Amino acid sequence: MTELLTDHGLRRRSDGEPVTVFAVTVARRRGPLRVESERTMSFVAVSGEYRFDHLEYGPALVTAVAPGFAPTVEGNVTISPEPATADFELEAGARLEGTVRQLGTARPIAGAEVQVEGRASGDVGAPLLPSAGYATTGGEGHF
């Protein structure tokens, strides 16, 4: 078992500045449609750097997520006896908004909890992302 770390950390693609609050997931493909998460950690780092110790050897999918940025996957990381590196350039993410309505009456529902969950890419085998998107609807059901 060995370590995964960064040379340059997580950077904003727009200006190269570090992303300071983020989460990184290390996952393993266990078949054509099966991916298992080995470890997910959250970081607060002024430099945008991170480090994982004691990972299994072999190919890994490494995913970085940060508030306000689109998730990014690095699929060509091999964990070996030598330290592996995975650096990321993150791009601005999208905004999701809508209204929660009652089935049948279409009346807005106030106080509904909405959570975003998804994969880092359209690939069904991509790792499921830790959800960072939560909202509670207002009086008119809008989030």
Side-chain angles (χ1 to χ4, degrees), residues 21-93:
V21 177
F22 56 93
V24 177
T25 297
V26 177
R28 306 300 176 134
R29 196 174 290 280
R30 301 293 189 208
L33 300 176
R34 185 171 168 217
V35 175
E36 288 181 357
S37 176
E38 182 175 347
R39 193 171 320 151
T40 298
M41 293 177 62
S42 296
F43 298 89
V44 177
V46 173
S47 66
E49 295 177 351
Y50 68 92
R51 178 186 184 120
F52 284 89
D53 292 316
H54 308 292
L55 296 171
E56 292 179 31
Y57 293 154
L61 297 169
V62 183
T63 304
V65 296
F69 294 92
T72 304
V73 177
E74 175 57 62
N76 297 317
V77 177
T78 301
I79 309 299
S80 67
E82 296 298 315
T85 61
D87 294 307
F88 297 90
E89 286 186 346
L90 302 182
E91 294 189 49

Side-chain angles (χ1 to χ4, degrees), residues 104-122:
T105 67
R107 289 194 325 223
I109 300 174
E113 293 184 14
V114 179
Q115 178 178 352
V116 176
E117 183 178 274
R119 300 200 182 278
S121 72

